[in-house]
Amino acid sequence: MAKVFVTQHIGEAGVQTLREAGHDVIYRNETEPMTPAELQTAVRSAEGLVCLLTDRVDTAVLDVAPNLKMIANVAVGYDNIDVPAATERGILVSNTPDVLTETTADHAFALLLALARRIPEADAFMRAGKYEKFEMFPPLLGLDVYGKTLGIVGMGRIGAAVARRGALGFGMKVLYTANSEKTAVAQSLGAQKVSLPELLRQSDFVSINVPLTPETRHLFTLDTLRQMKPTACLINTARGPVVKEDDLLTALREGIIWGAALDVFEAEPQMTPGLADYHERLVVAPHLGSATGETREKMVETAVTNLIAGLAGNTPPNALNAEQLS
Ligand code: DGY
């Protein structure tokens, strides 16, 4: 039996599973994240931690949790956790890949289509009673999606799922950047690996699918955006800080790119001042990539399965640092 602390609301099912596995669970059933000081107090005696992407698990937290053996993040991204520092302290860390891949790719495509066909603007137009007559060339002219070029920045699991939707569903030509060699899925789609400047130069839609790392932070600045076509769209469902929001706002205002769709923000839950008031060709959502009931339940189940395995001395299915620890 281990002491497990669950930082935020994850639903009763996951907590029940942890209790059935014999663990002593303290469940903070709240939807607001704790302050750093509160988190540091709460983890002092914990051996297992279940946390969300809004919980920053840094050295200040790890240093006051001498009994901590494992951290199970309920997210695929883990930039909220200092994994190298956890590894140094012998603490296992896991994430929740796979279960959210298709759901997040659906959302990326939903945003892409909503932006290209200006659905939020059209919705607001209708509700404001502005639809008075059919026009051949209405103010809300959109962009074609089918047959265009889709640039995937980061051909990991989610990037590949977005690419598949573009190539097979919309006949798009797919370009991508990736650290690894050509993946089987890229090959089957006829996708072409190119440099980032080349991808930016050619793509009509650029989908960001990289994790947040020191290398990808502010990968998209005014300089990067200027390399895109003035008719191109940027879609970010990865992590907000990959895009410098101030620069994006400038790019939108000055027509450097056609539009943007953002599910993630530089300083969530805030948006850069100015961006929230900017409505034209900008679609925004509150980090909903994996937000379907089914997928969020699977994410919790995955995190809990990982934690139970790790606390039992087994390698969790989605351990991020098991090799370094062994
Ligand atoms: C993740 O899992 O990293 C997603 O951003 C959460 O929706």
Side-chain angles (χ1 to χ4, degrees), residues 225-264:
L225 295 162
R226 281 193 207 281
Q227 295 173 52
M228 291 172 65
K229 299 181 190 180
T231 50
C233 296
L234 183 70
I235 295 99
N236 188 8
T237 52
R239 284 293 182 265
V242 176
V243 177
K244 195 156 182 264
E245 260 166 41
D246 267 338
D247 284 6
L248 176 62
L249 185 57
T250 304
L252 289 169
R253 281 185 175 146
E254 294 183 7
I256 291 167
I257 64 171
W258 191 86
L262 307 174
D263 188 47
V264 287

Short mmCIF file of all heavy atoms in Angstrom, two decimals, residues 225-264:
data_model
loop_
_atom_site.label_atom_id
_atom_site.label_comp_id
_atom_site.label_asym_id
_atom_site.label_seq_id
_atom_site.Cartn_x
_atom_site.Cartn_y
_atom_site.Cartn_z
N LEU A 225 7.08 33.22 -39.23
CA LEU A 225 5.77 33.48 -39.85
C LEU A 225 5.94 34.17 -41.20
O LEU A 225 5.16 33.92 -42.13
CB LEU A 225 4.90 34.31 -38.90
CG LEU A 225 4.52 33.58 -37.59
CD1 LEU A 225 4.05 34.56 -36.53
CD2 LEU A 225 3.46 32.51 -37.85
N ARG A 226 6.96 35.00 -41.30
CA ARG A 226 7.22 35.68 -42.58
C ARG A 226 7.63 34.70 -43.68
O ARG A 226 7.56 35.01 -44.86
CB ARG A 226 8.35 36.71 -42.42
CG ARG A 226 7.91 37.99 -41.79
CD ARG A 226 9.02 39.03 -41.97
NE ARG A 226 9.00 40.03 -40.92
CZ ARG A 226 8.16 41.05 -40.89
NH1 ARG A 226 7.29 41.20 -41.86
NH2 ARG A 226 8.19 41.91 -39.90
N GLN A 227 8.07 33.52 -43.26
CA GLN A 227 8.47 32.52 -44.27
C GLN A 227 7.26 31.77 -44.82
O GLN A 227 7.37 31.00 -45.76
CB GLN A 227 9.46 31.52 -43.67
CG GLN A 227 10.78 32.16 -43.27
CD GLN A 227 11.66 31.17 -42.53
OE1 GLN A 227 11.90 30.07 -43.00
NE2 GLN A 227 12.14 31.56 -41.36
N MET A 228 6.10 31.96 -44.18
CA MET A 228 4.87 31.30 -44.67
C MET A 228 4.26 32.12 -45.81
O MET A 228 4.55 33.31 -45.97
CB MET A 228 3.86 31.15 -43.52
CG MET A 228 4.31 30.16 -42.46
SD MET A 228 3.25 30.15 -40.97
CE MET A 228 1.68 29.56 -41.63
N LYS A 229 3.37 31.48 -46.57
CA LYS A 229 2.68 32.22 -47.63
C LYS A 229 1.68 33.19 -47.01
O LYS A 229 1.08 32.86 -45.97
CB LYS A 229 1.86 31.24 -48.49
CG LYS A 229 2.63 30.18 -49.21
CD LYS A 229 1.61 29.36 -50.01
CE LYS A 229 2.22 28.12 -50.60
NZ LYS A 229 1.23 27.33 -51.36
N PRO A 230 1.41 34.31 -47.63
CA PRO A 230 0.40 35.23 -47.08
C PRO A 230 -1.00 34.61 -47.09
O PRO A 230 -1.90 35.09 -46.40
CB PRO A 230 0.47 36.46 -47.99
CG PRO A 230 1.29 36.07 -49.15
CD PRO A 230 2.08 34.85 -48.82
N THR A 231 -1.17 33.54 -47.84
CA THR A 231 -2.47 32.85 -47.90
C THR A 231 -2.50 31.64 -46.98
O THR A 231 -3.46 30.85 -47.01
CB THR A 231 -2.70 32.35 -49.34
OG1 THR A 231 -1.52 31.63 -49.75
CG2 THR A 231 -2.99 33.47 -50.28
N ALA A 232 -1.48 31.46 -46.15
CA ALA A 232 -1.38 30.23 -45.35
C ALA A 232 -2.00 30.39 -43.96
O ALA A 232 -2.17 31.50 -43.46
CB ALA A 232 0.09 29.82 -45.21
N CYS A 233 -2.32 29.24 -43.37
CA CYS A 233 -2.92 29.20 -42.03
C CYS A 233 -2.04 28.40 -41.09
O CYS A 233 -1.45 27.40 -41.48
CB CYS A 233 -4.27 28.48 -42.08
SG CYS A 233 -5.48 29.34 -43.06
N LEU A 234 -2.02 28.84 -39.83
CA LEU A 234 -1.25 28.15 -38.80
C LEU A 234 -2.22 27.51 -37.81
O LEU A 234 -3.14 28.17 -37.33
CB LEU A 234 -0.36 29.16 -38.06
CG LEU A 234 0.57 28.58 -37.00
CD1 LEU A 234 1.68 27.76 -37.67
CD2 LEU A 234 1.18 29.70 -36.16
N ILE A 235 -2.01 26.24 -37.50
CA ILE A 235 -2.88 25.54 -36.55
C ILE A 235 -2.00 24.99 -35.44
O ILE A 235 -1.06 24.25 -35.69
CB ILE A 235 -3.66 24.37 -37.22
CG1 ILE A 235 -4.63 24.93 -38.27
CG2 ILE A 235 -4.48 23.57 -36.21
CD1 ILE A 235 -4.15 24.88 -39.64
N ASN A 236 -2.29 25.38 -34.20
CA ASN A 236 -1.48 24.89 -33.08
C ASN A 236 -2.34 24.14 -32.07
O ASN A 236 -3.17 24.73 -31.38
CB ASN A 236 -0.75 26.05 -32.38
CG ASN A 236 0.26 25.56 -31.35
OD1 ASN A 236 0.53 24.36 -31.25
ND2 ASN A 236 0.84 26.48 -30.59
N THR A 237 -2.14 22.82 -32.01
CA THR A 237 -2.82 22.02 -30.98
C THR A 237 -1.77 21.36 -30.08
O THR A 237 -2.09 20.41 -29.36
CB THR A 237 -3.69 20.90 -31.62
OG1 THR A 237 -2.87 20.16 -32.55
CG2 THR A 237 -4.90 21.46 -32.32
N ALA A 238 -0.53 21.86 -30.13
CA ALA A 238 0.55 21.20 -29.38
C ALA A 238 0.75 21.89 -28.03
O ALA A 238 0.10 21.51 -27.03
CB ALA A 238 1.82 21.20 -30.21
N ARG A 239 1.59 22.89 -27.99
CA ARG A 239 1.79 23.66 -26.77
C ARG A 239 1.93 25.13 -27.15
O ARG A 239 2.60 25.47 -28.13
CB ARG A 239 3.05 23.20 -26.02
CG ARG A 239 2.88 21.88 -25.26
CD ARG A 239 1.91 22.01 -24.08
NE ARG A 239 1.78 20.80 -23.31
CZ ARG A 239 0.82 19.87 -23.49
NH1 ARG A 239 -0.09 20.03 -24.44
NH2 ARG A 239 0.76 18.81 -22.72
N GLY A 240 1.31 26.00 -26.36
CA GLY A 240 1.26 27.43 -26.67
C GLY A 240 2.62 28.08 -26.88
O GLY A 240 2.82 28.82 -27.85
N PRO A 241 3.57 27.83 -25.97
CA PRO A 241 4.85 28.56 -26.09
C PRO A 241 5.67 28.23 -27.34
O PRO A 241 6.70 28.85 -27.57
CB PRO A 241 5.61 28.14 -24.82
CG PRO A 241 4.54 27.74 -23.85
CD PRO A 241 3.48 27.10 -24.69
N VAL A 242 5.21 27.29 -28.15
CA VAL A 242 5.90 27.04 -29.43
C VAL A 242 5.73 28.27 -30.34
O VAL A 242 6.55 28.54 -31.20
CB VAL A 242 5.36 25.75 -30.11
CG1 VAL A 242 5.99 25.54 -31.48
CG2 VAL A 242 5.63 24.53 -29.21
N VAL A 243 4.65 29.01 -30.11
CA VAL A 243 4.37 30.21 -30.92
C VAL A 243 4.50 31.46 -30.05
O VAL A 243 3.94 31.51 -28.95
CB VAL A 243 2.93 30.16 -31.49
CG1 VAL A 243 2.60 31.42 -32.28
CG2 VAL A 243 2.73 28.93 -32.35
N LYS A 244 5.23 32.43 -30.53
CA LYS A 244 5.31 33.72 -29.82
C LYS A 244 4.03 34.48 -30.17
O LYS A 244 3.88 34.96 -31.31
CB LYS A 244 6.57 34.46 -30.27
CG LYS A 244 6.97 35.58 -29.40
CD LYS A 244 8.47 35.86 -29.54
CE LYS A 244 8.87 36.97 -28.62
NZ LYS A 244 8.89 38.29 -29.28
N GLU A 245 3.14 34.55 -29.21
CA GLU A 245 1.79 35.08 -29.49
C GLU A 245 1.79 36.53 -29.97
O GLU A 245 1.00 36.90 -30.84
CB GLU A 245 0.91 34.94 -28.25
CG GLU A 245 -0.01 33.75 -28.33
CD GLU A 245 -0.65 33.41 -27.00
OE1 GLU A 245 -1.06 34.31 -26.26
OE2 GLU A 245 -0.74 32.20 -26.70
N ASP A 246 2.66 37.35 -29.39
CA ASP A 246 2.75 38.76 -29.82
C ASP A 246 3.05 38.84 -31.31
O ASP A 246 2.46 39.63 -32.04
CB ASP A 246 3.93 39.45 -29.09
CG ASP A 246 3.46 40.13 -27.83
OD1 ASP A 246 2.26 40.42 -27.74
OD2 ASP A 246 4.31 40.36 -26.94
N ASP A 247 3.99 37.99 -31.73
CA ASP A 247 4.40 37.99 -33.14
C ASP A 247 3.27 37.47 -34.03
O ASP A 247 3.06 37.95 -35.14
CB ASP A 247 5.64 37.11 -33.33
CG ASP A 247 6.90 37.80 -32.82
OD1 ASP A 247 6.78 38.89 -32.24
OD2 ASP A 247 8.00 37.25 -33.02
N LEU A 248 2.54 36.50 -33.51
CA LEU A 248 1.42 35.96 -34.30
C LEU A 248 0.36 37.04 -34.51
O LEU A 248 -0.18 37.21 -35.61
CB LEU A 248 0.81 34.74 -33.60
CG LEU A 248 -0.42 34.17 -34.29
CD1 LEU A 248 -0.10 33.65 -35.69
CD2 LEU A 248 -1.06 33.06 -33.46
N LEU A 249 0.09 37.79 -33.44
CA LEU A 249 -0.89 38.87 -33.55
C LEU A 249 -0.45 39.89 -34.61
O LEU A 249 -1.25 40.31 -35.45
CB LEU A 249 -1.07 39.54 -32.18
CG LEU A 249 -2.13 40.61 -32.07
CD1 LEU A 249 -3.51 40.08 -32.47
CD2 LEU A 249 -2.19 41.16 -30.66
N THR A 250 0.83 40.23 -34.60
CA THR A 250 1.35 41.15 -35.61
C THR A 250 1.17 40.55 -37.01
O THR A 250 0.74 41.24 -37.95
CB THR A 250 2.86 41.41 -35.35
OG1 THR A 250 2.99 41.89 -34.03
CG2 THR A 250 3.46 42.41 -36.33
N ALA A 251 1.49 39.27 -37.13
CA ALA A 251 1.39 38.62 -38.44
C ALA A 251 -0.06 38.62 -38.94
O ALA A 251 -0.30 38.79 -40.15
CB ALA A 251 1.93 37.19 -38.35
N LEU A 252 -1.01 38.44 -38.02
CA LEU A 252 -2.42 38.45 -38.43
C LEU A 252 -2.85 39.87 -38.83
O LEU A 252 -3.46 40.08 -39.87
CB LEU A 252 -3.30 37.93 -37.30
CG LEU A 252 -3.19 36.44 -36.99
CD1 LEU A 252 -3.91 36.10 -35.68
CD2 LEU A 252 -3.75 35.59 -38.13
N ARG A 253 -2.47 40.81 -37.98
CA ARG A 253 -2.87 42.21 -38.23
C ARG A 253 -2.29 42.73 -39.54
O ARG A 253 -2.93 43.49 -40.25
CB ARG A 253 -2.39 43.11 -37.08
CG ARG A 253 -3.28 43.01 -35.86
CD ARG A 253 -2.82 44.01 -34.83
NE ARG A 253 -3.73 44.04 -33.68
CZ ARG A 253 -3.33 44.25 -32.43
NH1 ARG A 253 -2.05 44.44 -32.16
NH2 ARG A 253 -4.21 44.27 -31.45
N GLU A 254 -1.06 42.32 -39.82
CA GLU A 254 -0.39 42.86 -41.01
C GLU A 254 -0.58 41.98 -42.24
O GLU A 254 0.03 42.23 -43.28
CB GLU A 254 1.11 43.04 -40.71
CG GLU A 254 1.33 44.11 -39.65
CD GLU A 254 2.80 44.38 -39.37
OE1 GLU A 254 3.66 43.85 -40.09
OE2 GLU A 254 3.07 45.13 -38.41
N GLY A 255 -1.39 40.94 -42.11
CA GLY A 255 -1.66 40.08 -43.27
C GLY A 255 -0.44 39.28 -43.72
O GLY A 255 -0.34 38.89 -44.88
N ILE A 256 0.46 39.02 -42.79
CA ILE A 256 1.65 38.22 -43.14
C ILE A 256 1.24 36.78 -43.37
O ILE A 256 1.80 36.09 -44.23
CB ILE A 256 2.72 38.37 -42.02
CG1 ILE A 256 3.26 39.80 -42.05
CG2 ILE A 256 3.85 37.35 -42.15
CD1 ILE A 256 4.07 40.21 -40.85
N ILE A 257 0.26 36.30 -42.60
CA ILE A 257 -0.38 35.01 -42.91
C ILE A 257 -1.90 35.25 -42.97
O ILE A 257 -2.38 36.28 -42.48
CB ILE A 257 -0.04 33.90 -41.88
CG1 ILE A 257 -0.57 34.23 -40.48
CG2 ILE A 257 1.46 33.61 -41.87
CD1 ILE A 257 -0.45 33.08 -39.49
N TRP A 258 -2.62 34.27 -43.51
CA TRP A 258 -4.06 34.46 -43.71
C TRP A 258 -4.84 34.31 -42.40
O TRP A 258 -5.78 35.06 -42.12
CB TRP A 258 -4.57 33.44 -44.73
CG TRP A 258 -5.98 33.68 -45.22
CD1 TRP A 258 -6.35 34.49 -46.25
CD2 TRP A 258 -7.18 33.11 -44.68
NE1 TRP A 258 -7.72 34.45 -46.41
CE2 TRP A 258 -8.25 33.60 -45.46
CE3 TRP A 258 -7.45 32.22 -43.65
CZ2 TRP A 258 -9.58 33.24 -45.23
CZ3 TRP A 258 -8.77 31.85 -43.41
CH2 TRP A 258 -9.82 32.37 -44.19
N GLY A 259 -4.45 33.29 -41.61
CA GLY A 259 -5.21 33.06 -40.38
C GLY A 259 -4.53 32.07 -39.46
O GLY A 259 -3.51 31.47 -39.81
N ALA A 260 -5.13 31.92 -38.27
CA ALA A 260 -4.56 30.99 -37.29
C ALA A 260 -5.67 30.36 -36.48
O ALA A 260 -6.73 30.97 -36.25
CB ALA A 260 -3.59 31.73 -36.37
N ALA A 261 -5.42 29.13 -36.05
CA ALA A 261 -6.34 28.43 -35.16
C ALA A 261 -5.52 27.90 -34.00
O ALA A 261 -4.55 27.17 -34.20
CB ALA A 261 -7.04 27.29 -35.89
N LEU A 262 -5.91 28.30 -32.81
CA LEU A 262 -5.10 27.97 -31.62
C LEU A 262 -5.93 27.23 -30.59
O LEU A 262 -6.99 27.70 -30.18
CB LEU A 262 -4.58 29.26 -30.97
CG LEU A 262 -3.81 30.24 -31.86
CD1 LEU A 262 -3.51 31.52 -31.08
CD2 LEU A 262 -2.54 29.61 -32.39
N ASP A 263 -5.40 26.11 -30.15
CA ASP A 263 -6.03 25.39 -29.04
C ASP A 263 -5.23 25.58 -27.76
O ASP A 263 -5.68 25.18 -26.69
CB ASP A 263 -6.10 23.89 -29.40
CG ASP A 263 -6.92 23.10 -28.40
OD1 ASP A 263 -8.04 23.55 -28.06
OD2 ASP A 263 -6.45 22.03 -27.93
N VAL A 264 -4.03 26.12 -27.92
CA VAL A 264 -3.10 26.23 -26.79
C VAL A 264 -2.48 27.62 -26.81
O VAL A 264 -2.36 28.24 -27.87
CB VAL A 264 -2.01 25.14 -26.89
CG1 VAL A 264 -2.56 23.77 -26.57
CG2 VAL A 264 -1.39 25.12 -28.29
#
